[in-house]
Amino acid sequence: MALTPEQIKKDFKKRGATFSDWARENGYRPQEVIRVVNGFNKANRGKGHEIAVKLGLKEHPNGNQ
């Protein structure tokens, strides 16, 4: 089941993690990740979709994660 942006933000805050650190660790630019989490990138395809799936905002197309 996909998580909401609020759930993702809460989890990151609880762990003391930042989206910028997560982005760098996963090979993305921090701005790309922040745009996906905040809904500026609808993440329907490409890197945005890939980021959303990795964060848990969207289900993996195959049903796996």
Side-chain angles (χ1 to χ4, degrees), residues 13-55:
K13 187 173 182 175
K14 183 173 77 173
R15 293 185 289 122
T18 67
F19 289 114
S20 293
D21 289 339
W22 186 92
R24 288 185 200 99
E25 290 167 8
N26 288 277
Y28 302 110
R29 293 187 345 223
Q31 181 182 10
E32 292 174 319
V33 174
I34 291 166
R35 288 181 57 80
V36 169
V37 172
N38 289 324
F40 293 108
N41 179 333
K42 298 303 177 195
N44 291 324
R45 58 186 171 295
K47 274 190 184 180
H49 185 263
E50 191 177 304
I51 291 166
V53 170
K54 281 189 178 182
L55 283 171

